[in-house]
Amino acid sequence: MITLYALAAAFGIGVLWLGTNIKVVKQFERGVVFRFGRVQSGLRGPGLTMLIPIADRLEKVNMQIITMPVPSQDGITRDNVTVRVDAVIYFKVSDPVRAAVDVQDYVSAIGQVAQTSLRSIIGKSNLDDLLSNREHLNQGLELMIDSPALGWGVQIDRVEIKDVVLPDSMKRSIARQAEAERERRARVITAEGELQASEKLAQAAEVMAEHPAALQLRLLETVVEVAAEKNSTLVLPFPVELLRFLERATPQASGRRDKATGTDAGAASNRETLTLEPPRIPDDARGLELHTRIADTFQRDQ
């Protein structure tokens, strides 16, 4: 009985020992086998893999794309502006053997290279490039990081600059510049609108000069627009051109009015001829030629 227990225990220990030498590799992983410290050329794919007891050691390498934020870096641009820039980097392992053998911690190594490369990009770029031309800077940053990463079996998939923090004084300067630019555009647009409006008004004036009835129609439209607001008082301008148009439209009435005006004028002139002012007699009458008896008597008395 004791022998059976001993065999069962030995069998269980053997199964457990074999189980420790059976590893499971996931779909997004690759296994690198070290046999007595020497790396094996063949990679272990997804699934169960058997290791030689005591001799083999399996190291799993993640093949997924890793997203790593780059801490904010303070720097001075080429045009002497202090900025703070942060970024994000996407990379994955392309060669698991190199990633496991050539570098101790490839994630930390990529992070340090990304920080130094970001500082270098800040020093080589102008502020306008950091704010508006980020695609070109992203490509340059990706090339700078990808150069040492290829030797580690790591492929840089993408690098993006997330945010650029400016000093408060620079923000105010940029805001004033943008405001001045918007004001310039507004003035140009207003001037163009005035030019187009003047051209259209000149064309309208030419049409109204050729067709006087158009001016009357425009006046009636204006009256309709004002009357639509239900105002109690309506100020109606009456242009001289409209009077001339009405005078030409009714020649008979104007002729009768002229005759009546002529009669009245004749009567007025007759009244003016009948009403005569009396002559004025000066204080000294010596210089006047008097042919009356009173004048002769005055001369004899003298």
Side-chain angles (χ1 to χ4, degrees):
M1 192 68 181
I2 296 174
T3 305
L4 292 176
Y5 288 148
L7 291 175
F11 179 78
I13 293 172
V15 170
L16 292 175
W17 181 65
L18 291 174
T20 56
N21 294 307
I22 297 175
K23 300 293 183 180
V24 177
V25 180
K26 297 180 181 179
Q27 182 67 36
F28 55 86
E29 294 177 340
R30 296 296 180 270
V32 179
V33 178
F34 293 89
R35 183 168 296 169
F36 293 109
R38 184 185 296 273
V39 64
Q40 300 298 309
S41 59
L43 296 176
R44 303 297 175 89
L48 292 175
T49 181
M50 187 66 183
L51 301 177
I52 299 175
I54 301 175
D56 293 344
R57 183 176 62 86
L58 181 66
E59 183 174 347
K60 299 177 183 179
V61 180
N62 193 344
M63 302 296 293
Q64 290 178 315
I65 295 177
I66 301 174
T67 303
M68 184 179 64
V70 181
S72 300
Q73 302 296 317
D74 294 331
I76 301 176
T77 60
R78 184 185 294 180
D79 49 357
N80 298 324
V81 178
T82 303
V83 294
R84 177 178 294 178
V85 182
D86 57 351
V88 59
I89 181 172
Y90 304 89
F91 64 94
K92 64 180 180 179
V93 176
S94 59
D95 191 349
V97 176
R98 285 190 174 184
V101 175
D102 294 346
V103 61
Q104 182 179 6
D105 186 359
Y106 63 90
V107 176
S108 177
I110 293 297
Q112 295 298 322
V113 171
Q115 294 180 26
T116 55
S117 300
L118 183 58
R119 285 178 175 270
S120 179
I121 284 292
I122 294 173
K124 294 180 181 179
S125 304
N126 295 325
L127 180 60
D128 294 337
D129 295 334
L130 288 174
L131 297 176
S132 60
N133 194 14
R134 292 188 180 182
E135 294 182 358
H136 180 69
L137 297 180
N138 293 337
Q139 294 177 359
L141 186 59
E142 180 179 350
L143 290 176
M144 293 180 66
I145 301 175
D146 193 46
S147 179
L150 288 176
W152 303 333
V154 178
Q155 178 183 357
I156 304 300
D157 188 70
R158 192 172 184 179
V159 180
E160 293 286 345
I161 295 177
K162 293 196 301 183
D163 190 17
V164 178
V165 180
L166 300 176
D168 294 337
S169 59
M170 184 57 63
K171 290 181 181 179
R172 289 192 293 268
S173 300
I174 294 176
R176 288 195 299 268
Q177 180 182 1
E179 183 178 358
E181 180 66 21
R182 289 193 296 269
E183 185 176 358
R184 182 187 67 84
R185 293 180 181 178
R187 290 182 179 179
V188 171
I189 293 173
T190 303
E192 291 179 355
E194 292 292 338
L195 177 60
Q196 296 177 3
S198 62
E199 294 177 354
K200 296 299 181 182
L201 289 175
Q203 296 177 4
E206 293 177 359
V207 174
M208 289 182 180
E210 295 178 359
H211 305 282
L215 182 61
Q216 184 180 5
L217 295 176
R218 185 71 184 109
L219 178 61
L220 294 177
E221 290 180 0
T222 304
V223 172
V224 171
E225 291 178 359
V226 174
E229 298 180 358
K230 298 180 180 180
N231 295 327
S232 59
T233 304
L234 178 61
V235 178
L236 179 63
F238 206 75
V240 180
E241 289 79 3
L242 184 58
L243 293 175
R244 293 175 182 174
F245 172 76
L246 296 176
E247 183 179 0
R248 289 194 298 268
T250 57
Q252 296 179 359
S254 61
R256 290 195 299 270
R257 187 166 54 252
D258 292 339
K259 291 180 181 180
T261 305
T263 305
D264 296 339
S269 62
N270 292 330
R271 286 195 299 269
E272 290 179 358
T273 54
L274 293 176
T275 304
L276 299 177
E277 295 180 358
R280 297 179 180 179
I281 300 175
D283 296 336
D284 189 3
R286 294 180 181 180
L288 298 177
E289 295 180 0
L290 302 178
H291 300 286
T292 61
R293 294 179 180 180
I294 299 174
D296 294 338
T297 303
F298 180 77
Q299 288 179 0
R300 285 195 299 269
D301 293 337
Q302 292 292 333

